[in-house]
Amino acid sequence: MAKAKRTLKWQRDPEGMRLRILEAAKQEFAGHGLAGARVDRIAVKAGANKRMLYYHVGKKDDLYLAVLEGAYEKIRAEERGLDLEHLAPPEAIKRLIEFTWTYFLRNPEFLALLNTENLARAKHLKRSTKVKSLHSPFVEMIRTVVRRGVESGDFQVSVDPVQLYISIAALSFFYLSNGATLSVIFGRDLLKKEARDERLDHMVGLVLAALTGKATAMFGGTRAARPLVPVHQPV
């Protein structure tokens, strides 16, 4: 009887079942990696069985790729909602940094999935027909912000939007992925709220100082803006 009820629910809401499978798979792959993940556990968490799982998504590798693609779709979709094109260029970059940082904090499973796929040398991501198309509009969005900043005089340099985003993501990713070991090495809790807030301020200041050439960005705007100068020149 219970099996019949599950089958009926699956037939009535196939998309809901697929979403539950993907969510359960995301948690399983994030927690155990691809090698340690078990299809049986995914099925149980999703309230499904292996037959449903294979029908809706495919075998383990297909399921893993679907989870990866879904993870990228989610972050790119939220980034599109940042409304960067209607903000002053420095504020747009600040918002992008803040979003990236908070997104990583809210979605630790995303970092875990990235670590797993990088260990596999992006073997599965190379099969994706979706991921590259997701990133072209995002790169163009950053390119437009940088161009506007140069044209308005807010930014002193025109940087490659891909390099800029990689730098922003790296400033967040390395800190959070290595927070436990860095806390031990430097003798401070780098993951407590005060430390996280300090890190965000530092990242915003660092990136804006590089783009604007103004030291005020390094101090959160608490000083009058002054140009950055080489260390060998007198101030």
Side-chain angles (χ1 to χ4, degrees):
M1 181 66 70
K3 182 178 179 181
K5 287 182 179 179
R6 285 198 300 271
T7 301
L8 185 59
K9 186 176 181 180
W10 164 33
Q11 292 172 342
R12 285 178 176 172
D13 186 20
E15 182 58 23
M17 176 57 71
R18 183 176 185 277
L19 292 175
R20 286 192 293 276
I21 289 170
L22 289 174
E23 179 61 29
K26 179 178 70 175
Q27 299 302 326
E28 180 72 10
F29 289 127
H32 301 279
L34 178 58
R38 295 291 177 265
V39 173
D40 287 339
R41 287 198 296 258
I42 294 171
V44 169
K45 289 177 184 176
N49 57 47
K50 284 187 177 181
R51 182 170 66 89
M52 294 180 193
L53 192 150
Y54 293 146
Y55 175 83
H56 282 284
V57 185
K59 295 186 178 180
K60 186 178 178 181
D61 279 4
D62 298 322
L63 182 56
Y64 173 71
L65 179 56
V67 167
L68 273 179
E69 290 177 334
Y72 278 108
E73 285 175 331
K74 184 174 184 290
I75 187 171
R76 296 289 91 93
E78 292 196 26
E79 284 162 341
R80 288 195 297 272
L82 294 178
D83 200 32
L84 301 185
E85 61 270 28
H86 295 113
L87 296 175
E91 185 60 30
I93 295 299
K94 180 175 182 287
R95 178 172 290 187
L96 178 60
I97 297 168
E98 290 172 344
F99 168 80
T100 303
W101 174 252
T102 56
Y103 188 90
F104 287 176
L105 283 171
R106 289 186 287 110
N107 298 275
E109 69 280 356
F110 182 58
L111 304 188
L113 290 170
L114 293 184
N115 281 328
T116 295
E117 186 59 7
N118 274 293
L119 287 173
R121 302 293 183 184
K123 171 185 173 182
H124 304 86
L125 206 57
K126 289 174 183 176
R127 294 170 45 211
S128 175
T129 59
K130 294 181 180 179
V131 170
K132 288 184 179 179
S133 64
L134 289 172
H135 288 73
S136 295
F138 177 61
V139 170
E140 190 56 36
M141 180 175 69
I142 298 175
R143 189 192 311 278
T144 300
V145 170
V146 172
R147 184 176 64 246
R148 287 197 296 112
V150 172
E151 290 173 352
S152 66
D154 289 309
F155 296 161
Q156 299 303 305
V157 291
S158 181
V159 298
D160 180 345
V162 172
Q163 291 286 9
L164 178 57
Y165 179 71
I166 290 173
S167 294
I168 290 171
L171 286 168
S172 299
F173 187 92
F174 182 87
Y175 186 97
L176 295 174
S177 295
N178 297 276
T181 53
L182 291 172
S183 294
V184 172
I185 291 169
F186 294 112
R188 62 172 80 171
D189 185 355
L190 295 175
L191 297 177
K192 66 180 181 180
K193 184 181 186 306
E194 293 83 356
R196 296 198 310 267
D197 291 344
E198 182 182 352
R199 177 62 181 179
L200 177 56
D201 288 342
H202 172 78
M203 292 188 299
V204 170
L206 194 65
V207 174
L208 287 181
L211 290 171
T212 65
K214 294 179 181 178
T216 182
M218 297 294 289
F219 301 97
T222 58
R223 297 189 180 186
R226 59 185 179 87
L228 291 174
V229 295
V231 293
H232 64 274
Q233 293 184 6
V235 179

